[in-house]
Amino acid sequence: MIPIVTPAEMAAIDAAAPEGTDVLVARAGAAVAIAARRMMGGTYGRRVLVAAGKGNNGADGRVAATALERWGVRCRVVTPPEALELVCTANLGAPTSAAWDLVIDAAYGTGLRGSWGADTAPAAPVLAVDIPSGIDALTGEDHGCWPAAMTVTFGALKPGLLLHPGAVAAGEVELAPIGLDASGAMSWLVTDADADVALPAAEPAAHKWRRAVRVIAGSPQMRGAGHLVCAAAQQSGAGMVVVSSPGLRAADVARPSEAVALDLRPGQWAGPALEDIKRFDAAVIGPGIGTDPAALAQTARFIADCPVPLVVDADGLTALADHPECLHERTAPTVLTPHDGEFAKLTGGPPAADRFEAVRRAAEEFNAVVLLKGPTTLVAARAARDAGMAVVLAAASGTARLATAGSGDVLSGVIAAVLSAGATEPNAVLSQTAAAAHWHGCTATFGGHDPGSALTPLTAMHQVELLGVVRTGLTASSSETSGT
């Protein structure tokens, strides 16, 4: 996994480095120069403008300029105010950004907490040093920056490079290892290799009840939700899927042909739904079941009394917000999967700008694994008593193509199928939930990262259909990474 640290944590890592600042700056500047040369496709005849501030970020930029000049690049190093003037001024024959092949933003990096006046972007591509100046390194908030084509960051990723709008402003992010020890980070980005390791493998001697998933989803008004959860669970390794939609007879429950449906008549349906629950290895409740008070009360009862790992999504989260006591007696793993609106219902307010801290607090409050959906999905579990801060895992594999009706139902089915393999230890549940989110996110970029693909519709059912081939791709990517 790739470490993610806050600016304060990064400062502590810098201070603990065995090498001095001059050595670290030399390494960082060299990494920036190499990236700049690659971006320009060479050095002959190239011109680079470097906006270099007073701190270490500026020092990195000046070292990069020196290296580029040795390679024959004509560099002009200026202060941030001068750089803004050059970019904005086009009169009296003054050189503008159009005269440069590349602009290096080494103005402020993580040290800036507000605006520096970067309202007009250069015409030339921008290479940001550590983080685009003007992007809050903790929250990703944009206080005015030059959007970068590439950002070279050092030692570890910063939250602002993963949280939007900072993730977009950073462009392609390259992590340069300059000798800093970030192994103590409390947040990590999940990679293909990590997901491949965490996701359960098929068992040679498995039978259909080995990884059985119980689904309570759908209703007379929302029949498709249960179908999507079931289909995703089946494509993600569940051997048996049994589904019920409160208020519907089995014959009327929407489901894949391989899934089994059971009646759940209106009224007191939680009891019948729990009768054979111990036969199952995981369960899902919430998608499309409705939010009338009676339905919420029955959902809360199911959550409280379900003895197997449980994924609570959609209307199930509304039930939890109305009946928070239903989690108090649970001993089996619980995974909550809110988007921002559902998070606000659960906690009384939307996620804070520091989303990493927000998901940590929610995991502590509910004593559950909390998966906060977003352009970068964050997953946290309550920290062990002697572990201090809870670890947060980030899944950034998805794109805006996942923002479609039913996508959350698919994710719930994937998580339930993954958990049905038997993970109960908190760190294992955390890792597998994050791996499931990464796997699901990869359906949005299957076939490559062509920017034009962002305009191509991706229905929830299409996501289900891609799960199998994406899983194979994760294994192949993991093998390439490990060199096997």
Side-chain angles (χ1 to χ4, degrees), residues 275-345:
E275 285 179 358
D276 64 346
I277 193 65
K278 291 185 178 179
R279 296 187 67 191
F280 296 89
D281 301 294
V284 178
I285 189 166
I289 60 177
T291 57
D292 65 88
L296 296 182
Q298 291 301 299
T299 301
R301 180 186 168 191
F302 184 94
I303 293 171
D305 294 341
C306 179
V308 301
L310 178 64
V311 181
V312 183
D313 185 32
D315 297 335
L317 297 170
T318 301
L320 177 56
D322 284 4
H323 304 273
E325 71 283 354
C326 69
L327 286 182
H328 293 172
E329 302 302 322
R330 282 192 56 78
T331 57
T334 309
V335 179
L336 313 180
T337 61
H339 55 55
D340 281 20
E342 293 162 341
F343 188 95
K345 287 182 182 179

Side-chain angles (χ1 to χ4, degrees), residues 24 86 91 153 162 179 220 234 272 292 298 318 365 386-387 460 463:
L24 298 177
L86 285 173
N91 60 342
T153 197
L162 296 168
Q234 290 172 329
D292 65 88
Q298 291 301 299
T318 301
E365 178 181 352
D386 58 349
Q463 295 167 30

Side-chain angles (χ1 to χ4, degrees), residues 88-273:
C88 295
T89 302
N91 60 342
L92 301 178
T96 69
S97 60
W100 312 103
D101 297 291
L102 183 69
V103 174
I104 295 179
D105 169 16
Y108 299 102
T110 62
L112 188 66
R113 293 294 181 270
S115 172
W116 64 293
D119 300 320
T120 302
V126 175
L127 171 60
V129 177
D130 213 13
I131 195 168
S133 299
I135 295 296
D136 190 303
L138 182 64
T139 68
E141 293 172 296
D142 186 354
H143 300 292
C145 73
W146 287 342
M150 172 178 279
T151 297
V152 177
T153 197
F154 312 111
L157 298 174
K158 286 71 185 178
L161 296 171
L162 296 168
L163 300 176
H164 287 242
V168 174
E172 179 186 351
V173 176
E174 180 177 296
L175 178 59
I178 61 172
L180 297 172
D181 181 9
S183 60
M186 298 306 295
S187 301
W188 298 82
L189 178 67
V190 176
T191 67
D192 287 355
D194 302 320
D196 181 56
V197 170
L199 293 172
E203 300 177 17
H207 53 82
K208 66 182 180 182
W209 280 99
R210 171 59 188 89
R211 291 177 59 182
V213 173
R214 185 72 166 100
V215 177
I216 309 297
S219 62
Q221 294 76 32
M222 297 280 288
R223 295 173 188 262
H227 184 284
L228 288 169
V229 175
C230 292
Q234 290 172 329
Q235 288 293 319
S236 304
M240 171 65 76
V241 178
V242 177
V243 58
S244 296
S245 297
L248 289 177
R249 295 176 178 272
D252 298 322
V253 174
R255 68 189 190 281
S257 58
E258 301 88 351
V260 175
L262 297 178
D263 290 348
L264 270 190
R265 301 298 177 86
Q268 303 295 314
W269 53 259

Side-chain angles (χ1 to χ4, degrees), residues 6 15 18 23 25 33 54 58 68 70 162 174 201 203 229 244 265 323 396 408 421 441 465 481:
T6 67
V23 173
V25 167
K54 295 180 180 179
L68 289 169
R70 286 199 298 266
L162 296 168
E174 180 177 296
E203 300 177 17
V229 175
S244 296
R265 301 298 177 86
H323 304 273
E465 293 165 355
T481 301

